[in-house]
């Protein structure tokens, strides 16, 4: 086994590799860009090396810098994770030329599967079924259009390089072929530097089912069963599961045998995934699946396979790369239960899954797994970390395992409902809606399911009056004395204001909300009066209070997997705005006049501090909004309510 490895990646996969390395007694070296200087993977590793600015082209895609870092730190091998350089055969050549071990397949294997058209020709020779289509070198539009007619519409135009849905177009009619081809080529050229395409038969009800394979340098290849990755948006996976729902013994046998045959055809060593497209229009049948592509690396969704087989695939990678045989034979690998993985992203599902950024001011995952299930959280971030625009906006992978699919699905829904994230727009509500979707729950899933149900899956109901009231209570500062995780236990502190209502303003989207918060003593409840369209009076019982998080300028209330975020305007800024040019300054909130710094008859200038108001357990300076003479000022030690006149200027104060 290696003594030290370098991980040429970031985020949750870097953290994942570090955990297994630590378990095996292997020291780890992290690499990081400017944006990741304080990242979790840097903190977890035994050593860390800075490799450049934040853009990936200047850091994580710089193979020369990564190899230099490995040599400088004495690492013996490099683990590529996934993405970045993980499937770049030129990088593998760089690593091996430097006398280091690449923890993955050979450069030759990667090249053999790197281009979809060449890979499919290779699979045809190996006897692996491929989708009917044209995979040749000629790229003239007349030829491609002719092949499309031979195949029969609808057809799918696909970039021969890359993945992730880029350079892909579905064409329903011959008249649309030319325009779709131009669009696919432009996108492929921009994304992969290669505008060549292939044309395939479009499968009407496609299931994306993939098989995890593993090989070693002794020629042994095994499979670790299948995963279903059909739940996709924009051709990118959202929820994966193992095993595939509805899988028949005949199809599993045919598919796993084909996957092993594919890996052996290229002398594969390490972790790999053979992806198949399955026609589910008439159920799952052994003669209705076709090779799509091979991912010559560890997959994002590998944890579901680990959950149902008990294998640590990263450990297998390290052992095989170190020259050991596969840890298990095929007969020793068995399936147990069912697992789901949900990818939690910073993205706005309602806006076409637009990636989001922001600071994770509040990040809380379930402390324990739902009853009867097991759970793991794969993440590379902590509360306070920033989701930057430079990298994939994944926050975490939530993985659950149950005794069967229904138990695992219920556990997934519960775990998502207990996940709390504030500071960025996230997709937890969408994931929970998908998990609860009738078709998905029944296992009737295909790659078009999310598209068909997208409006319903991304719709978030408006906040109830109870949610708004809870936000108003939190924003009012009534719970300011309480611990951050229990803002409801501090009503005794709020009694300082006696039962005088506290006026609070919120904003939800475009809606401006005004609320009056007051304590109902002695029963320990509080009451919030809201302007229409919400209830005019909505008492809440603290024993059933919603979960919430306060963060700068906002409060988020959680209801299930939905986080309702309300903006809380700065009352002092609002007071200054209203008071500018006015003959008086009013209290922006209830509080105590802690200190008076001016006197009646004194001439003051704009910006001069006049008094200190203590509110929400903080001191706020009230300053003059213009030059003038004080006609009246509050008394030190006075308890004031929202709107009380604190300072009045003489009439000649301004003109």
């Amino acid at each position: 086994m290696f003594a030290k490895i370098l991980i040429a990646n970031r985020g949750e996969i870097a953290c994942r590799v570090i955990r297994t390395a630590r378990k095996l007694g292997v020291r780890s070296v992290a690499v990081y860009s400017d944006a990741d200087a304080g990242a979790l993977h840097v903190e977890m590793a035994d050593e860390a090396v800075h490799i450049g600015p934040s853009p990936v082209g200047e850091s994580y895609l710089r193979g020369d810098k990564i190899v230099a870092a490995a040599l400088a730190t004495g690492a013996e091998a490099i683990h590529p994770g996934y993405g970045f350089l993980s499937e770049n055969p030129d990088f593998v050549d760089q690593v091996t030329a430097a006398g280091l071990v690449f923890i993955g397949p050979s450069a030759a294997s990667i090249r053999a599967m790197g281009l979809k058209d060449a890979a499919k020709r290779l699979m045809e020779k190996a006897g692996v079924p491929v989708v009917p289509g044209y995979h040749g070198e000629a790229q003239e539009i007349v030829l491609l259009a002719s092949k499309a007619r031979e195949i029969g519409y609808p057809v799918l135009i696909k970039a021969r390089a890359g993945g992730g849905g880029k350079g892909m177009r579905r064409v329903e009619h011959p008249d649309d072929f030319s325009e779709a081809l131009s669009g696919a080529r432009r996108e492929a050229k921009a994304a992969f530097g290669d505008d060549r395409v292939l044309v395939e038969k479009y499968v009407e009800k496609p299931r994306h089912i993939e098989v995890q394979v593993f090989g070693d340098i002794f020629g042994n290849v095994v499979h670790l069963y299948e995963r279903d990755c059909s739940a996709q948006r924009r051709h990118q996976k959202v929820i994966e599961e193992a095993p595939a729902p509805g899988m028949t013994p005949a199809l599993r046998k045919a598919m796993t045998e084909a996957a092993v045959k594919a890996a052996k055809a290229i002398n594969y060593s390490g972790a790999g995934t053979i992806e198949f497209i399955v026609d589910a229009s008439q159920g799952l049948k052994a003669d209705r699946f076709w090779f799509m592509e091979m991912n010559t690396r560890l997959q994002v969704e590998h944890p579901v396979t680990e959950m149902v087989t008990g294998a640590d695939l990263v450990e297998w990678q390290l052992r095989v790369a170190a020259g050991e045989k596969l840890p298990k034979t095929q007969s020793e690998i068995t399936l147990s239960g069912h697992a789901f993985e949900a990818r939690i992203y910073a993205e706005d599902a309602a806006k076409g899954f637009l990636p989001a950024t922001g600071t994770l001011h509040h990040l809380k995952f379930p402390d324990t797994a739902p009853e009867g299930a097991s759970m793991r959280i794969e993440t590379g971030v902590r509360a306070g970390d920033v989701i930057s625009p430079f990298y994939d906006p994944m926050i975490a992978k939530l993985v659950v395992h149950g005794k069967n699919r229904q138990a695992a699905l219920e556990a997934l829904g519960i775990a998502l409902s207990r996940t709390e994230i504030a500071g960025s727009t996230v997709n937890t509500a969408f994931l929970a809606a998908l998990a609860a979707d009738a078709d998905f729950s029944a296992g009737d899933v295909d790659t078009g399911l999310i598209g068909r149900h997208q409006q319903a899956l991304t719709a978030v109901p408006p906040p109830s009056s109870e949610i708004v009231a809870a936000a108003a209570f939190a924003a009012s500062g009534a719970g300011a004395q309480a611990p951050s995780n229990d803002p409801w236990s501090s009503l005794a502190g709020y009694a300082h204001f006696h039962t005088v209502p506290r006026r609070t303003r919120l904003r939800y989207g475009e809606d401006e909300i005004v609320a009056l918060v007051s304590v109902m003593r002695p029963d320990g409840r509080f009451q919030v009066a809201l302007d229409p369209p919400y209830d005019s009076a909505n008492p809440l019982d603290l024993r059933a209070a919603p979960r919430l998080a306060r963060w700068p300028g906002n409060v988020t209330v959680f209801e299930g997997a939905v986080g309702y975020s309300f903006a809380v305007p700065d009352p002092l800024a609002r007071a200054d705005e209203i008071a500018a040019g006015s003959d008086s300054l009013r209290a922006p909130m209830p509080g105590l006049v802690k200190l008076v710094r001016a006197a009646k008859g004194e001439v003051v200038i704009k910006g001069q501090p006049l008094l200190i108001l203590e509110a929400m357990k903080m001191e706020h300076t009230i300053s003059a909004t213009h030059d003038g003479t004080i006609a009246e000022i509050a008394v030190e030690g006075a308890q004031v309510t929202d709107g009380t006149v604190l300072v009045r200027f003489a009439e000649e104060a301004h003109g």
Side-chain angles (χ1 to χ4, degrees):
M1 181 52 66
F2 306 111
K4 182 188 291 188
I5 64 171
L6 180 141
I7 302 156
N9 219 294
R10 63 177 300 280
E12 58 88 14
I13 185 57
C15 296
R16 164 76 185 86
V17 175
I18 290 170
R19 285 195 296 272
T20 288
R22 185 178 296 157
K23 180 181 74 173
L24 297 176
V26 177
R27 291 179 62 80
S28 59
V29 180
V31 293
Y32 65 93
S33 67
D34 290 347
D36 281 339
L40 181 58
H41 75 279
V42 175
E43 178 183 296
M44 289 178 63
D46 296 299
E47 301 174 58
V49 179
H50 177 252
I51 55 170
S54 301
V56 294
E58 301 177 53
S59 51
Y60 295 106
L61 291 180
R62 288 290 302 272
D64 56 336
K65 290 186 176 182
I66 290 170
V67 169
L71 294 173
T73 56
E76 302 159 82
I78 294 179
H79 194 299
Y82 48 70
F84 295 143
L85 296 169
S86 62
E87 293 181 283
N88 186 320
D90 294 336
F91 176 62
V92 179
D93 287 338
Q94 278 184 284
V95 172
T96 54
L100 303 169
V101 175
F102 181 77
I103 303 175
S106 67
S109 293
I110 296 175
R111 286 191 175 97
M113 289 298 187
L115 297 175
K116 293 183 178 67
D117 53 354
K120 288 182 178 180
R121 291 195 296 270
L122 178 62
M123 291 299 99
E124 283 181 307
K125 291 180 181 178
V128 177
V130 300
V131 179
Y134 173 72
H135 309 127
E137 291 290 338
Q139 294 287 301
E140 294 81 6
I141 184 172
V142 174
L143 174 67
L144 294 176
S146 174
K147 292 296 183 182
R149 283 193 297 271
E150 290 178 17
I151 296 165
Y153 285 88
V155 298
L156 196 64
I157 300 173
K158 298 171 66 175
R160 76 168 198 159
K166 295 181 177 66
M168 186 181 294
R169 295 290 188 279
R170 174 181 174 176
V171 190
E172 298 282 353
H173 192 275
D175 292 345
D176 302 324
F177 187 84
S178 178
E179 183 178 349
L181 176 62
S182 297
R185 281 175 164 168
R186 284 194 304 272
E187 196 168 271
K189 184 69 173 178
F192 315 119
D194 186 343
D195 66 356
R196 286 171 288 182
V197 301
L198 48 85
V199 183
E200 294 180 343
K201 177 66 178 175
Y202 181 79
V203 180
E204 291 291 347
K205 191 176 182 182
R207 288 269 296 272
H208 179 144
I209 301 177
E210 59 190 33
V211 176
Q212 176 73 58
V213 293
F214 228 104
D216 62 24
I217 61 173
F218 304 99
N220 302 306
V221 177
V222 298
H223 70 80
L224 290 93
Y225 300 95
E226 81 281 351
R227 299 184 287 258
D228 194 303
C229 307
S230 302
Q232 301 179 9
R233 86 287 190 266
R234 296 185 323 212
H235 303 290
Q236 294 179 328
K237 303 164 188 175
V238 176
I239 294 180
E240 302 97 343
E241 59 182 300
M247 176 59 70
T248 65
L251 178 57
R252 176 174 288 146
K253 182 176 185 296
M255 190 176 283
T256 54
E257 286 179 353
V260 170
K261 189 184 296 183
K264 285 185 174 181
I266 58 172
N267 300 313
Y268 197 79
S269 177
T273 299
I274 310 295
E275 298 192 350
F276 296 100
I277 193 79
V278 182
D279 182 356
S281 59
Q282 298 177 11
L284 299 183
K285 297 184 177 181
D287 62 348
R288 303 295 289 172
F289 77 95
W290 302 280
F291 172 85
M292 188 163 56
E293 62 184 347
M294 182 179 189
N295 287 303
T296 52
R297 54 171 169 77
L298 198 66
Q299 291 280 87
V300 177
E301 59 272 19
H302 76 274
V304 294
T305 294
E306 294 183 324
M307 293 289 254
V308 296
T309 63
D312 182 335
L313 297 185
V314 174
E315 179 179 343
W316 282 35
Q317 284 187 299
L318 295 178
R319 292 193 180 283
V320 166
E324 298 181 23
K325 288 186 176 181
L326 289 173
K328 288 186 177 183
T329 63
Q330 190 64 69
S331 62
E332 294 173 320
I333 303 170
T334 58
L335 276 175
S336 176
H338 203 97
F340 285 94
E341 173 183 288
R343 301 188 187 189
I344 300 175
Y345 282 103
E347 66 180 15
D348 194 334
K351 294 182 178 178
F353 304 100
L354 189 68
T357 57
T359 300
L360 300 175
H361 291 287
H362 179 82
L363 181 64
K364 182 180 180 183
F365 298 110
D367 295 327
T368 58
E371 186 176 356
S374 57
M375 177 186 69
R376 59 194 263 194
I377 305 294
E378 300 284 347
T379 186
V381 296
R382 303 147 297 189
D385 284 352
V386 174
I387 302 298
S388 80
F390 296 107
Y391 314 116
D392 184 274
M394 180 184 286
I395 295 173
K397 301 183 308 195
L398 192 160
V399 191
V400 296
H401 178 271
K403 61 182 180 180
N404 53 44
R405 188 175 191 271
Q406 186 58 39
L409 192 57
E410 289 176 2
L412 178 64
I414 292 171
L416 285 167
S417 72
R418 295 176 180 172
T419 298
E420 302 175 5
I421 305 173
S424 177
T425 303
V426 295
N427 69 337
T428 49
F430 160 73
L431 293 171
L434 177 57
D437 178 83
D439 288 345
F440 187 84
S441 296
D444 184 15
V445 59
D446 61 80
T447 58
L449 183 146
I450 290 176
R452 292 193 301 272
H453 300 185
Q454 187 164 332
Q455 185 172 353
L457 293 174
T458 58
V460 175
S464 64
S465 295
E466 183 171 276
I467 293 296
V468 177
F473 172 77
S476 73
Q481 286 182 317
S484 60
N485 62 342
D486 184 20
W488 310 102
S489 64
S490 64
L491 284 186
Y494 187 47
H496 173 74
F497 296 105
H498 305 291
T499 56
V500 178
R502 174 179 292 190
R503 182 177 297 277
T504 301
R505 291 178 173 84
L506 301 169
R507 188 172 62 254
Y508 182 76
E510 300 299 319
D511 295 338
E512 298 288 339
I513 302 168
V514 179
L516 288 177
V517 181
S518 57
V519 172
M520 296 173 60
R521 300 178 68 191
D523 64 1
R525 290 185 297 158
F526 65 90
Q527 186 174 40
V528 180
L530 300 170
D531 285 355
Y534 303 101
D535 294 343
S536 59
N538 185 37
L540 291 182
D541 190 325
L542 292 182
R543 289 170 293 181
R547 300 166 294 149
L548 60 82
R550 290 187 294 259
W551 47 288
N554 295 266
V555 59
T556 298
V557 181
F558 301 99
E559 185 176 59
V562 182
Y564 293 98
S565 291
F566 299 81
V568 184
D570 183 348
L572 293 177
R574 179 178 174 85
D576 287 347
E577 179 183 327
I578 294 173
S582 171
D583 286 332
S584 62
L585 296 177
R586 296 178 180 270
M589 64 192 84
L592 176 72
V593 179
K594 191 72 175 289
L595 181 67
V596 176
R597 292 183 170 180
K600 181 178 179 179
E602 185 176 338
V603 177
V604 297
I605 61 174
K606 181 179 179 179
Q608 180 177 334
L610 303 181
L611 56 84
I612 302 295
L613 181 70
E614 183 185 71
M616 298 170 65
K617 295 302 169 185
M618 296 176 64
E619 292 187 350
H620 306 273
T621 300
I622 305 297
S623 301
T625 55
H626 49 71
D627 299 347
T629 303
I630 294 179
E632 203 174 320
I633 192 164
V635 177
E636 196 168 292
Q639 183 71 55
V640 298
T641 61
D642 182 12
T644 299
V645 174
L646 299 175
V647 180
R648 194 181 304 279
F649 293 94
E651 291 185 6
E652 70 277 13
H654 63 282

